[in-house]
Amino acid sequence: MIRQEIGDGIAVLTIASPPVNALGGDLRAALDRAVSGAIADPAVQAVVIAAEGRVFVGGADISEFGKPARPPVLPDVLARLEASPKPVVAAIHGAALGGGLELALACHARVVGPAAKLGLPEIRLGLIPGAGGTQRLPRLIGAAAAFAMMLDGEPVEAEAALRLGLADVFEPDVLEPGSLVAAARALARRLADAGSPPRIRDRSERMDEAARAAFEARAAEALERSGRLPNVAALVDAVRAGFEHPFDEALAIERARFLALVDDPRSRALRYAFFAERETARVPGLDKDTPRRPIREAAVIGAGTMGAGIALCFANAGIPVTVIETGEAALARGLERMRATYAASVARGSLPQAEMDERLARIDGRVGLEHAGEADIVVEAAFEDMGVKTAIFSGLDRIAKRGAVLATNTSYLDVDRIAAATGRPQDVLGLHFFSPANVMRLVEVVRAERTGLDALATANDLARRLGKLPVTVGVSFGFVGNRMLARRSAAAERLLLEGALPHEIDAAVTGFGFRMGPFAMADLAGLDIGWRTRKATGATAPIADALCEMGRLGQKTGRGFYRYPEGTRRGSRDPEVEALIAAQSERRGVARRNVAPEEIVARLMLPMVNEGARILEEGIAARPGDVDTIWLNGYNWPAWRGGPMHWADGLGLARVAADLDAFAAATGDETLRPAPLLARLTREDGRFADLAAR
Ligand code: NAD
């Protein structure tokens, strides 16, 4: 696992544990032995640690999580390494991630090659660094920069590492074999000649009051945004401990927080979500050999809320896009909306003016569908109306070039019917962006009955090129996300009639961990969106419908479920709405009662889980993790609860099914009965997660 060569008084220890040199128990033990051996060897004056393969050290061995740690544990190995009286230099040619970077930080100096990437991505797995990263990195590069790096988990490249002080030497010459190790040897030699090796643990010059203030400012921001994530809170505590305690005590605090996270169900949920998201890239029927169609130019039909946002996505990704409207006025409004979005970024300082100009130059506005003829992909974002959509698609059938992918951004409508308006259903699919489309990462890629595999693969690749997270779903009313959301909305309306008030329901939902409750959300989006959908499908929601009829469409009209006095965006309770709700209850002969927050959460969320089970059963989503990824990224489901299906597994499906039976009995709504899949899993004492394993 470790090769050793001694020459000129320097021992070069080369880690060779393919594929990624993960620091599993065997490698830790081998490294520990090799380092001790070099320290004890009188012929050795200094040590270089290098590695073989594409990666330096990829991190911990994830398969060891949740099992008792096999000694020697990494913190102990690194403590002995750092204490070495002979200097140890890391020669980092590739990625040094997690435990890999912590290993490098315990060394006395770091030399990086051009392909080096240094990062502590533990946060993405619901964790924090657990082998000194939260202590050594702040002492080396400053606590604010270190905290930022650990909070976002993104690795830095060689040159940035040198600038930050994370690397001591950047050796750009890779053409010369062994040049990186040669540079590391030279540095090791210099350090050996200079006397006792410099240790990060002894450095305190970057741990002063100014550094603390800079760190605390960033920590406060992070806690404000994501303080309910246990790993974020733990990261703040660990870095702060470095200011408040001697090094070894602070290390112990870090380790304790790390170990607590490994066993914390919230952290496990974050880990689950990370792997579920990665898994969505495996789309049944597609592989790397599936042919893709080239996408060089795009067209977007409709320059409203969604069309404008989608056009920005293309322009941002460097793809020229033609935006098409029915008239000059609507077109001008749409183009102005895009310009204003960029201008706001320039004003915030997040986009240079020159970049805005370049992006705007990629957007061409036109009136008339015939301008879609050059596009390799067309995304239709016109009104949510089957007649409008089929007219557009039959037009596209005549106009679009052969092999163009024809996508609809419909929220609910039947993509098979839209495809049938063309003579080329193999080219038609859904690309369901979320609002605001230029911000939200999620895209549901809707695979219709006759969608070609190459079109589907092209759409998935394109979505990634736009910086999005595509999840492939099947055709059904509202696909996955909105179909489940409809269950929550119906349950929320029903609770209003039974006795809960909008602010009570919203408070229960934010208490559960969502950033916004359903009524605040509806007011923000506009109540007319749901109203139009209900009218089109013959559904009703007595209270929301009544509000719409009163012209209360949400924030945009200053009134919806809440009041928004002049200029406020945070709604306040409105006696008029509460009276309307009470009158509706009375008309139905319902005696209003207090509904506790726990009951509100169960009544809202369990029917969604049940709908998720139906979706899985029908094959509309390929796996429970896809459903969870959609809810985590499109609907702000609290990340530390891992998505609705994972959450239900945690509750126990027997309890979920029993509660649903009780809701059905209490409300008389038989659609609340456990879906067949849920009932079967309950009988088998199974979990949704068992389905993923198949
Ligand atoms: P919108 O009303 O803001 O914009 C629609 C635009 O399409 C209008 O500017 C209209 O002039 C234009 N248009 C209508 N018919 C046209 C045609 N034949 N040719 C060219 N342009 C035409 O609507 P929106 O909110 O942007 O929604 C567009 C689509 O996206 C709908 O299908 C909707 O369901 C879906 N969607 C909306 C959201 C959302 O939150 N708003 C989210 C996801 C999906």
Side-chain angles (χ1 to χ4, degrees):
M1 286 196 136
I2 296 200
R3 270 202 336 266
Q4 180 169 335
E5 290 146 83
I6 302 179
D8 298 334
I10 294 174
V12 177
L13 311 180
T14 304
I15 300 172
S17 178
V20 296
N21 300 323
L23 287 163
D26 293 341
L27 180 56
R28 290 195 301 270
L31 182 65
D32 204 23
R33 272 196 311 274
V35 170
S36 315
I39 294 171
D41 186 343
V44 171
Q45 285 118 45
V47 180
V48 167
I49 297 181
E52 238 177 49
R54 280 190 31 227
V55 168
F56 174 71
V57 170
D61 181 349
I62 290 174
S63 68
E64 289 186 346
F65 281 170
K67 300 182 192 153
R70 265 196 296 157
V73 295
L74 191 58
D76 294 347
V77 176
L78 298 187
R80 287 191 279 272
L81 178 108
E82 188 175 47
S84 159
K86 302 176 182 176
V88 183
V89 175
I92 306 170
H93 69 290
L97 301 177
L101 180 52
E102 291 179 299
L103 163 64
L105 289 169
C107 293
H108 305 113
R110 287 145 295 281
V111 176
V112 295
K117 278 191 174 48
L118 288 74
L120 294 170
E122 287 85 349
I123 203 90
R124 295 181 181 172
L125 295 171
L127 298 169
I128 62 170
T134 69
Q135 301 309 313
R136 293 193 181 95
L137 193 60
R139 284 170 184 265
L140 188 61
I141 69 169
F147 178 71
M149 208 173 136
M150 293 186 279
L151 184 65
D152 103 324
E154 188 64 29
V156 298
E157 315 246 329
E159 271 178 67
L162 188 68
R163 228 180 307 117
L164 282 166
L166 184 48
D168 301 280
V169 174
F170 174 30
E171 173 55 53
D173 188 5
V174 276
L175 296 176
E176 184 65 30
S179 64
L180 185 69
V181 170
R185 293 177 65 119
L187 180 56
R189 162 61 56 205
R190 278 208 308 282
L191 291 174
D193 293 346
S196 90
R199 298 186 176 90
I200 292 177
R201 58 172 292 139
D202 299 330
R203 293 181 58 167
S204 57
E205 71 275 12
R206 303 205 72 153
M207 300 299 283
D208 59 5
E209 278 309 307
R212 170 127 198 206
F215 155 69
E216 291 292 351
R218 291 208 179 177
E221 254 173 56
L223 291 175
E224 163 81 23
R225 204 162 346 112
S226 11
R228 288 185 77 173
L229 297 179
N231 51 344
V232 171
L235 182 64
V236 170
D237 288 350
V239 174
R240 188 177 287 145
F243 288 101
E244 294 179 343
H245 301 275
F247 187 79
D248 289 316
E249 280 173 36
L251 268 187
I253 291 171
E254 172 202 81
R255 187 68 182 170
R257 300 306 302 260
F258 169 81
L259 290 173
L261 283 173
V262 170
D263 286 330
D264 186 326
R266 296 170 301 170
S267 167
R268 274 206 297 272
L270 293 169
R271 233 156 9 255
Y272 160 83
F274 176 85
F275 291 109
E277 179 177 318
R278 272 219 315 216
E279 192 69 10
T280 59
R282 281 201 318 121
V283 178
L286 299 189
D287 59 35
K288 62 177 189 352
D289 299 327
T290 310
R292 267 73 172 171
R293 306 180 189 179
I295 302 284
R296 294 187 196 91
E297 276 184 52
V300 174
I301 315 289
T305 311
M306 294 306 289
I310 295 166
L312 291 175
C313 296
F314 283 111
N316 294 348
I319 303 172
V321 55
T322 305
V323 184
I324 295 169
E325 264 289 349
T326 46
E328 293 294 346
L331 180 61
R333 270 197 308 277
L335 291 173
E336 172 51 25
R337 185 202 292 261
M338 295 178 231
R339 201 199 54 76
T341 306
Y342 281 143
S345 304
V346 171
R348 262 200 315 276
S350 58
L351 185 73
Q353 179 68 48
E355 183 63 32
M356 162 170 168
D357 297 341
E358 267 178 46
R359 293 184 190 186
L360 273 180
R362 293 187 193 117
I363 302 173
D364 184 20
R366 298 283 168 163
V367 171
L369 201 59
E370 63 276 15
H371 296 287
E374 294 300 308
D376 304 299
I377 175 144
V378 181
V379 183
E380 170 276 318
F383 299 133
E384 183 75 348
D385 178 286
M386 187 53 92
V388 170
K389 307 250 191 228
T390 49
I392 291 173
F393 276 78
S394 75
L396 287 175
D397 195 28
R398 272 180 285 111
I399 293 158
K401 83 179 185 199
R402 256 189 73 212
V405 175
L406 307 179
T408 172
N409 183 49
T410 180
S411 307
Y412 294 96
L413 300 175
D414 182 343
V415 183
D416 289 323
R417 270 182 67 193
I418 295 172
T422 73
R424 33 172 134 170
Q426 71 280 3
D427 298 340
V428 179
L429 45 75
L431 274 179
H432 181 217
F433 290 79
F434 287 69
S435 181
N438 53 317
V439 176
M440 298 287 286
R441 257 180 94 221
L442 182 69
V443 174
E444 285 178 324
V445 179
V446 187
R447 172 187 209 157
E449 181 81 45
R450 298 173 64 187
T451 304
L453 288 179
D454 58 341
L456 187 64
T458 303
N460 268 283
D461 285 5
L462 171 71
R464 287 188 196 278
R465 210 171 136 197
L466 300 183
K468 302 295 176 190
L469 167 61
V471 181
T472 300
V473 302
V475 173
S476 85
F477 189 75
F479 314 114
V480 172
N482 282 343
R483 178 169 161 184
M484 289 167 69
L485 182 66
R487 290 284 170 180
R488 192 180 82 174
S489 308
E493 268 269 337
R494 187 179 268 142
L495 280 177
L496 289 179
L497 294 173
E498 285 185 29
L501 289 170
H503 70 279
E504 292 168 339
I505 294 176
D506 280 353
V509 170
T510 52
F512 182 77
F514 280 86
R515 243 186 266 287
M516 253 192 192
F519 296 114
M521 191 70 225
D523 274 0
L524 178 67
L527 300 191
D528 48 328
I529 293 187
W531 193 30
R532 249 182 278 130
T533 312
R534 286 192 298 277
K535 278 197 203 157
T537 57
T540 57
I543 292 168
D545 290 347
L547 293 177
C548 290
E549 274 149 30
M550 294 159 73
R552 304 185 62 122
L553 301 182
Q555 282 195 25
K556 62 184 165 192
T557 59
R559 297 174 326 150
F561 282 99
Y562 300 103
R563 269 185 314 130
Y564 301 85
E566 216 48 56
T568 54
R569 307 196 58 188
R570 195 193 194 89
S572 38
R573 290 174 62 176
D574 189 337
E576 188 183 21
V577 174
E578 295 181 7
L580 174 111
I581 294 170
Q584 288 277 358
S585 301
E586 197 178 328
R587 184 177 326 152
R588 278 149 220 268
V590 179
R592 295 181 63 79
R593 65 184 175 94
N594 259 330
V595 191
E598 307 77 63
E599 184 185 346
I600 293 175
V601 165
R603 288 278 300 266
L604 258 48
M605 309 297 168
L606 296 183
M608 286 194 351
V609 169
N610 204 24
E611 196 64 30
R614 289 193 190 98
I615 283 169
L616 289 170
E617 202 160 19
E618 294 166 20
I620 301 302
R623 32 183 119 72
D626 286 13
V627 175
D628 285 336
T629 301
I630 287 170
W631 268 82
L632 288 165
N633 293 281
Y635 299 84
N636 188 231
W637 180 279
W640 49 275
R641 290 192 190 273
M645 311 317 276
H646 177 83
W647 173 69
D649 274 347
L651 290 177
L653 296 189
R655 179 177 148 199
V656 171
D659 278 3
L660 285 166
D661 272 325
F663 300 160
T667 60
D669 179 354
E670 289 301 310
T671 69
L672 291 175
R673 295 278 175 206
L677 173 68
L678 175 56
R680 174 169 72 72
L681 288 173
T682 306
R683 278 194 308 277
E684 295 169 357
D685 202 14
R687 303 177 311 149
F688 289 119
D690 303 336
L691 302 170
R694 291 190 316 208

